[in-house]
Amino acid sequence: VEADGSVVVRATISRTHTGDPYEDMYGAANITYMRLYVPEDAILLDAGGFIYPPEEAFKVPESWYEEDTDLLRIEHEVGIHRSTGTRITNEFGKTAFGNWMIVPPGESRDIWFTYRLPFSVVDVKREADGLSDIFASQPDAVSRYSLFVQKQSGVESTFASTIGYTTGWVPRWKSNDAVDLTPIGAQIETTLDRDTIYGVVLEYRP
């Protein structure tokens, strides 16, 4: 979290291919087009770790194929991030960053996205409505940060997140016992077996 309340996020996705490279059915590399769904109008700053599949991995569409009307209604093209080749779309009320990931059998690979959220999480010199029981006195500024993580169906995964503020911010409240407060923020690590949300409230006292 920047001094002005803007938020820069770095999201890393790690995948492991548990197949045996010497088995016919499980020894092929896993080729996946990965999408990260983020709040609508988030701005992609950088990304990496991607590998574009070889051309022979693709099939040429037949001449009689037609565009899917439902997909055209749902997915709206924003553009291509020039330096990383990441495709940016708006879908389901969110912005999506998409790119290719290849994981060889028996190995692990990471991809990452760095983006700026389209809002501020700091209320500067504003009355902390509903938070008076948290603070002993009115702080110079208040920040309410929450993260809603949506699980992809059929995928077993773990999730870890760390939120950090600049010097002067002190955490005063957390949403549940799964969240650990740190000197300038909070962190959580859990098995992602369902949609989950966590939040923290901080005060600024320079």
Side-chain angles (χ1 to χ4, degrees):
V1 179
E2 308 290 335
D4 62 356
S6 62
V7 181
V8 175
V9 180
R10 180 183 171 100
T12 300
I13 300 171
S14 302
R15 302 185 73 232
T16 299
H17 190 334
T18 59
D20 186 338
Y22 300 103
E23 291 190 19
D24 291 338
M25 298 299 295
Y26 302 102
N30 179 262
I31 301 175
T32 309
Y33 183 73
M34 297 290 294
R35 285 190 181 98
L36 178 69
Y37 288 87
V38 299
E40 191 170 26
D41 297 327
I43 299 173
L44 183 64
L45 303 176
D46 201 3
F50 312 112
I51 300 176
Y52 196 81
E55 289 299 324
E56 56 267 24
F58 298 93
K59 293 183 178 180
V60 177
E62 301 288 346
S63 59
W64 51 268
Y65 282 8
E66 297 179 356
E67 290 187 294
D68 187 284
T69 55
D70 290 329
L71 183 60
L72 289 173
R73 175 176 52 83
I74 294 171
E75 184 181 87
H76 304 282
E77 186 84 27
V78 175
I80 303 294
H81 190 251
R82 182 173 299 179
S83 61
T84 68
T86 301
R87 183 169 179 251
I88 305 172
T89 56
N90 284 336
E91 310 172 24
F92 307 108
K94 298 179 176 63
T95 290
F97 305 138
N99 214 321
W100 291 96
M101 185 177 191
I102 299 179
V103 185
E107 298 185 23
S108 299
R109 290 289 188 273
D110 294 344
I111 59 173
W112 53 270
F113 302 88
T114 301
Y115 57 95
R116 186 182 300 276
L117 294 178
F119 48 76
S120 171
V121 296
V122 172
D123 298 328
V124 179
K125 295 186 181 300
R126 176 179 170 183
E127 290 297 325
D129 297 334
L131 300 175
S132 58
D133 57 336
I134 298 177
F135 308 117
S137 60
Q138 184 66 31
D140 285 15
V142 172
S143 178
R144 287 170 275 197
Y145 179 90
S146 62
L147 177 63
F148 177 44
V149 186
Q150 291 181 282
K151 179 186 181 298
Q152 179 177 335
S153 298
V155 175
E156 296 181 3
S157 59
T158 57
F159 169 74
S161 177
T162 300
I163 175 74
Y165 282 68
T166 54
T167 302
W169 285 98
V170 181
R172 293 302 187 197
W173 178 88
K174 60 181 182 178
S175 57
N176 55 61
D177 291 337
V179 180
D180 294 321
L181 297 180
T182 67
I184 55 170
Q187 59 188 21
I188 184 174
E189 185 170 353
T190 184
T191 299
L192 193 61
D193 56 4
R194 68 193 68 186
D195 291 355
T196 186
I197 185 170
Y198 79 93
V200 292
V201 175
L202 298 93
E203 64 174 339
Y204 182 69
R205 295 191 180 276

